[in-house]
Amino acid sequence: SSEQIEHLHRRFKQLSRDQLTIRKENFDSIPDLEFNPIRAKIVHAFFDKRNLRQESAGLADEINFEDFLTIMSYFRPIEMNMDEEQLDRFRKEKLKFLFHMYDSDHDGKITLQEYRNVVEELLSGNPHLEKESARSIADGAMMEAASICVGRMGPDQVYEGITFEDFLKMWQGIDIETKMHVRFLNMETIAHCY
């Protein structure tokens, strides 16, 4: 709505310090991101050209307000009047954004190493969990992904990584539509991700 766009414009101006573009370092002023273990991945996703719908690999150095709106559109909450087709498209857009966060080398699949990196980052704040345990968790999750996406594999078969189609299968039945959104509380707190 025009009211939401105005609200986002105020946030954009606050983040950019009244400049025409936002750079990665502008995200340092967001308190809710400061302690997020995957903060770097979240910020990276804002500058990922694939998420900016430019369909090319790589990162933008800065984003303008239109780009900011594009990124924020991935986080908008579900609308009650959406039909099944709109809901499906809405869901796929959100999952594509998440997929790009994991696929850090932009090759179209999430490899075991990329997944290990994310799990290690997520669990880095837990002092009782060693790096080897985090690796085991990631390895187990990747084996689960292979069984969901490929089925029973032969002893010499190697699972190359999670494609976007695999990612959709894995998230089937999980309510991402209401969980992945940003809630703006006030001018001091920029964003709260669920």
Side-chain angles (χ1 to χ4, degrees), residues 5-22:
I5 291 171
E6 284 177 32
H7 194 69
L8 287 171
H9 191 255
R10 286 193 304 272
R11 298 291 185 218
F12 179 85
K13 286 175 63 175
Q14 183 186 33
L15 273 176
S16 71
R17 297 180 183 100
D18 286 324
Q19 299 299 308
L20 295 176
T21 60
I22 294 176

Side-chain angles (χ1 to χ4, degrees), residues 52-147:
L52 294 169
R53 298 189 179 124
Q54 296 174 1
E55 297 305 320
S56 58
L59 295 176
D61 293 326
E62 53 192 26
I63 59 173
N64 61 27
F65 181 62
E66 188 176 325
D67 295 332
F68 185 70
L69 284 178
T70 298
I71 294 297
M72 295 311 293
S73 72
Y74 292 105
F75 295 94
R76 71 186 187 277
I78 195 168
E79 296 171 25
M80 292 304 170
N81 61 347
M82 288 182 165
D83 62 27
E84 286 300 315
E85 186 178 316
Q86 290 170 319
L87 278 173
D88 186 53
R89 189 172 55 249
F90 188 73
R91 177 181 177 76
K92 282 182 180 169
E93 284 177 7
K94 286 181 180 279
L95 289 173
K96 189 70 117 170
F97 184 90
L98 282 179
F99 182 81
H100 291 156
M101 280 181 59
Y102 289 100
D103 178 24
S104 57
D105 67 0
H106 305 245
D107 70 349
K109 67 183 137 195
I110 301 166
T111 63
L112 176 57
Q113 190 55 52
E114 286 171 322
Y115 196 69
R116 279 179 178 163
N117 292 342
V118 172
V119 171
E120 287 173 8
E121 286 174 25
L122 281 170
L123 300 176
S124 65
N126 186 338
H128 306 294
L129 199 62
E130 295 178 21
K131 194 171 189 168
E132 196 54 44
S133 297
R135 276 180 169 248
S136 295
I137 291 168
D139 292 357
M142 190 58 85
M143 287 179 65
E144 178 75 16
S147 70

Side-chain angles (χ1 to χ4, degrees), residues 139-172:
D139 292 357
M142 190 58 85
M143 287 179 65
E144 178 75 16
S147 70
I148 290 170
C149 302
V150 178
R152 189 172 173 90
M153 294 173 57
D156 59 340
Q157 201 174 359
V158 175
Y159 185 56
E160 297 289 327
I162 301 167
T163 64
F164 183 62
E165 289 72 29
D166 292 346
F167 199 68
L168 289 175
K169 286 180 197 173
M170 292 167 56
W171 281 87
Q172 194 167 6

